[in-house]
Amino acid sequence: MADMIVRNARITTLDPDNPSATALAVAGGNVLAVGDEATVMAHATAGTRIIDAGGRRLIPGLNDSHLHLIRGGLNYNMELRWDGVRTLADAMAMLREQVARTPAPQWVRVVGGFSEHQFAEKRLPTLQELNEAAPETPVFILHLYDRALINRAALRAVGYTKDSPDPPGGRLERDAAGNPTGLLLAKPNALILYATLAMGPKLPPEFQLNSTRHFMRELNRLGITSVIDAGGGFQNYPEDYEIIQKLHADGELTVRIAYNLFTQKKGGELADFDRWSRMLKPLQGDGMLRHNGAGEMLVFSAADFEDFREPRPELPQGMEGELEDVVRLLAQRRWPFRIHATYDESISRVLDVYEKVNREVPFDGLHWFIDHAETISDRNIERVRALQGGIAIQHRMAYQGEYFAERYGRAAVRNTPPVRKMLNAGLPVGAGTDATRVASYNPWMSLYWMVTGRTVGGLSMYGDDNLLEREEALRLYTHGSAWFSHEQDRKGLLKAGLYADFALLSSDFLHVPEEAIKDITSVLTVVGGKVVHGSDDFGPLAPVLPRPMPDWSPVNRFGGYQGATQAQARAMFERAHAHAHGTSCAVHGHGKDHAAHHPAPVSGPRDFWGALGCLCHAF
């Protein structure tokens, strides 16, 4: 019998045998029945929780096939998000307010997820504006993978001076006297951006646990129930996975995670995968946290950096031998793998290696795939199909389309990436974002991009031949992505026996005007039959989270994705915040008596801790 029944809903099941329904029953974490209300209500008992959906659209939970959740969760509470902010004036108002709330020696960080083109002003802040807004507090602003802006206080904090050489892979812009101005340029790659960011203070483990929980709740708020984590730079295994492992052990994961391992050592890639493949069996784990193989970095020499403001990089000679050794090892040990590849020229050389290894050690069902593939050719789509691979696409072009069109022309942008051709070829295709840095984690921005072909700045890129119908795009974000973690028989459809993962939407994705797609959220998100997020009338059904830690966290004031106008986003966040977290100090019930309202203690061994929470320093 049913643990939960949702009735009076407009359900899109994505099950071809039963495409629509009005009620859904859950038992033991799985879907028990989907159909008309009379049939489903027959499974009710006195103990069944019955939820009236109020006629809202209900969909399978969204599954981001490429998101850096584990790394992003460790840092979420420290980051001021400009995702979705509509004007630079609003963004700078947020920044100034956060500067006032942030105690020394902490930084204010805006770490990607936005594009200058989303602002009405169509520009980034100037360094002068940053220095005026924050004369003493270090500020770091990452824009995509192309640049970072840091103020004078941040320059002092990281030690960049006239005598500092340009770091490998990047450039410090300098004034006429040779002094760094605060503009960091990724030329030819983003190492300077991430190496500088890594110099800032980090959250202690207790706060990282809290931060990751809040990031997962933010994803739940947007209807996400699963992700495939693509690892990332400065994300070492197993050290940087201890937080997510503890949350899993404590039963506090609210997003299903399949994680890939991303090599960290140039020249040591084969040793990394040899060691890790002895530690982990292929697909080891359970339905909430499981290993998913290697990548997206397999070898550093095979990674083509995708800053469309810069010319296409040429992969170095010798790449093939390095990649061949790693892929052969993975195929022998039956580890699935994924690889970052933006340009068709890179993909051609990668596929040469894959075809060679496959002749010796057949891939045979490994579910290998290419990430990104913005300029993949018809010929290489066919080669991927022949090797039984897939392609994970992301809405990076929604944030960089203007730069691509400026460099390569409006004709070239029409099939970047050629999603319709991939589907017509019969390839597995999964949708995602590549968040948290190069684009926003908001899945509705990705769905908007697939349906309209427009950037966040309004540039129309694609013709009708490369646009998707709404239900078609939704399928890529649910059942399509499930293939990429070998879970197509467990998730992505609302069908008896599959995971009870679903989202009840704030407005009807299938029928709202196109521009309204960007502002959709979930009012009720369920993972494995458990409510993990609720808002509006469904708010009381959701479990209460502790307040974001530390008290000065930008999440406490602004939340995450800023949908609608700034004023609307502010009001919505405050309502949800008051219900979910209360309004006083998380630990002792203090009201105004926390560090954000007092000078930060900056001497002695308790500098970091004293600046974070209550004045009594107890945590």
Side-chain angles (χ1 to χ4, degrees):
M1 306 304 288
D3 304 321
M4 173 195 294
I5 289 176
V6 181
R7 55 170 293 274
N8 189 22
R10 287 179 289 172
I11 302 175
T12 298
T13 70
L14 299 180
D15 176 7
D17 297 327
N18 182 31
S20 61
T22 57
L24 177 151
V26 175
N30 295 328
V31 175
L32 176 65
V34 186
D36 64 80
E37 195 159 311
T39 300
V40 171
M41 288 298 293
H43 295 280
T45 69
T48 300
R49 170 185 276 179
I50 298 177
I51 298 173
D52 186 337
R56 294 181 181 272
R57 177 69 57 186
L58 189 150
I59 63 169
L62 300 177
N63 182 353
D64 191 318
S65 63
H66 187 130
L67 192 145
H68 298 273
L69 183 157
I70 296 173
R71 182 182 66 187
L74 299 179
N75 302 294
Y76 178 69
N77 280 4
M78 290 193 295
E79 295 174 356
L80 176 68
R81 305 302 306 182
W82 282 356
D83 304 40
V85 177
R86 307 286 168 96
T87 71
L88 179 60
D90 277 340
M92 290 301 292
M94 295 168 66
L95 181 82
R96 286 189 291 270
E97 183 174 346
Q98 187 57 39
V99 166
R101 300 177 67 250
T102 302
Q106 301 301 316
W107 296 12
V108 174
R109 314 166 205 230
V110 180
V111 187
F114 77 99
S115 166
E116 63 180 309
H117 297 290
Q118 77 192 41
F119 297 144
E121 298 89 341
K122 303 298 182 185
R123 69 174 180 89
L124 294 174
T126 66
L127 290 169
Q128 180 179 343
E129 287 170 333
L130 282 191
N131 285 309
E132 290 172 353
E136 301 298 334
T137 302
V139 172
F140 178 101
I141 298 176
L142 175 70
H143 181 255
L144 307 175
Y145 279 163
D146 63 9
R147 64 194 55 214
L149 307 175
I150 64 175
N151 64 349
R152 283 190 290 266
L155 283 170
R156 292 192 297 269
V158 301
Y160 290 156
T161 68
K162 183 176 182 178
D163 298 326
S164 300
D166 283 349
R171 193 180 85 201
L172 299 172
E173 186 188 67
R174 302 171 190 271
D175 62 19
N179 297 301
T181 63
L183 176 60
L184 314 181
L185 296 174
K187 289 179 176 287
N189 62 57
L191 180 59
I192 184 177
L193 311 182
Y194 296 149
T196 305
L197 178 61
M199 297 179 193
K202 295 178 175 58
L203 293 175
E206 178 189 0
F207 290 16
Q208 289 179 338
L209 289 164
N210 176 281
S211 178
T212 301
R213 291 184 69 188
H214 278 277
F215 186 38
M216 289 189 295
R217 179 65 68 93
E218 168 73 351
L219 297 176
N220 297 151
R221 183 180 73 87
L222 296 167
I224 293 175
T225 59
S226 291
V227 307
I228 306 176
D229 188 281
F234 296 90
Q235 187 67 17
N236 293 288
Y237 184 85
E239 302 93 320
D240 293 320
Y241 290 72
E242 292 174 356
I243 295 298
I244 208 72
Q245 294 284 2
K246 178 169 174 50
L247 289 171
H248 178 236
D250 293 344
E252 292 181 338
L253 293 185
T254 62
V255 176
R256 299 184 190 274
I257 302 170
Y259 61 91
N260 288 76
L261 295 185
F262 180 122
T263 186
Q264 299 293 312
K265 300 174 185 176
K266 182 174 175 59
E269 298 96 334
L270 184 62
D272 272 346
F273 290 119
D274 179 52
R275 181 174 71 260
W276 293 337
S277 61
R278 296 179 190 277
M279 297 168 63
L280 288 167
K281 297 178 181 178
L283 308 181
Q284 179 176 319
D286 59 27
M288 290 305 299
L289 182 66
R290 66 201 305 257
H291 167 251
N292 197 51
E296 62 181 297
M297 183 76 79
L298 295 180
V299 295
F300 279 79
S301 57
D304 59 354
F305 180 54
E306 73 293 346
D307 179 0
F308 296 136
R309 284 181 165 179
E310 296 294 319
R312 177 183 63 82
E314 192 69 42
L315 300 183
Q317 295 300 314
M319 177 278 287
E320 283 82 355
E322 295 177 1
L323 182 61
E324 180 181 338
D325 289 343
V326 167
V327 172
R328 181 179 292 105
L329 173 76
L330 296 172
Q332 288 170 340
R333 297 189 181 172
R334 309 311 297 162
W335 263 42
F337 54 91
R338 65 193 303 169
I339 192 166
H340 168 114
T342 301
Y343 298 98
D344 189 60
E345 292 83 352
S346 305
I347 293 169
S348 291
R349 291 176 62 184
V350 166
L351 291 176
D352 289 344
V353 173
Y354 286 7
E355 288 166 346
K356 179 179 179 182
V357 174
N358 181 65
R359 288 192 292 269
E360 303 167 15
V361 187
F363 293 170
D364 192 22
L366 275 183
H367 287 211
W368 70 271
F369 55 100
I370 293 172
D371 284 295
H372 315 314
E374 273 87 358
T375 71
I376 190 170
S377 63
D378 295 356
R379 168 60 181 147
N380 281 335
I381 288 174
E382 175 55 29
R383 294 173 75 191
V384 173
R385 189 200 64 77
L387 283 172
Q388 300 177 14
I391 298 177
I393 60 165
Q394 300 81 37
H395 66 324
R396 303 191 310 178
M397 288 298 293
Y399 292 80
Q400 299 193 62
E402 286 86 355
Y403 304 136
F404 188 95
E406 183 179 350
R407 176 166 293 278
Y408 298 108
R410 292 295 296 271
V413 84
R414 288 178 62 87
N415 286 287
T416 314
V419 181
R420 174 62 63 197
K421 292 181 178 181
M422 298 173 190
L423 294 173
N424 288 346
L427 289 185
V429 178
T433 60
D434 198 9
T436 54
R437 297 178 176 178
V438 72
S440 176
Y441 51 76
N442 185 353
W444 300 102
M445 283 305 309
S446 186
L447 287 158
Y448 169 83
W449 163 73
M450 287 188 280
V451 167
T452 68
R454 290 195 285 271
T455 69
V456 295
L459 175 67
S460 182
M461 295 182 287
Y462 311 143
D464 291 343
D465 59 344
N466 200 35
L467 298 178
L468 303 186
E469 298 296 330
R470 297 192 193 195
E471 188 167 313
E472 191 175 29
L474 181 63
R475 186 178 297 277
L476 297 193
Y477 229 108
T478 51
H479 195 240
S481 291
W483 181 91
F484 293 78
S485 58
H486 292 250
E487 295 177 289
Q488 67 273 21
D489 296 328
R490 297 295 299 137
K491 63 172 66 166
L493 309 175
L494 293 175
K495 180 178 181 179
L498 275 64
Y499 291 142
D501 299 349
F502 53 87
L504 190 65
L505 303 183
S506 60
S507 55
D508 190 344
F509 168 62
L510 298 182
H511 295 108
V512 294
E514 288 180 344
E515 290 302 309
I517 293 172
K518 296 184 287 188
D519 294 326
I520 292 175
T521 61
S522 172
V523 296
L524 178 73
T525 306
V526 173
V527 177
K530 297 179 180 179
V531 175
V532 295
H533 161 74
S535 61
D536 298 338
D537 293 341
F538 305 95
L541 301 178
V544 175
L545 277 182
R547 277 170 59 89
M549 302 164 67
D551 280 354
W552 55 262
S553 167
V555 178
N556 267 323
R557 178 61 179 146
F558 300 106
Y561 187 88
Q562 302 289 309
T565 67
Q566 184 72 8
Q568 290 169 327
R570 192 66 244 125
M572 288 188 292
F573 173 68
E574 287 175 349
R575 288 198 301 271
H577 182 79
H579 166 74
H581 316 302
T583 56
S584 63
C585 163
V587 181
H588 298 102
H590 301 234
K592 295 183 179 180
D593 210 21
H594 57 76
H597 297 277
H598 299 269
V602 293
S603 61
R606 304 185 76 164
D607 286 356
F608 182 81
W609 292 96
L612 295 179
C614 306
L615 283 177
C616 59
H617 309 298
F619 295 89

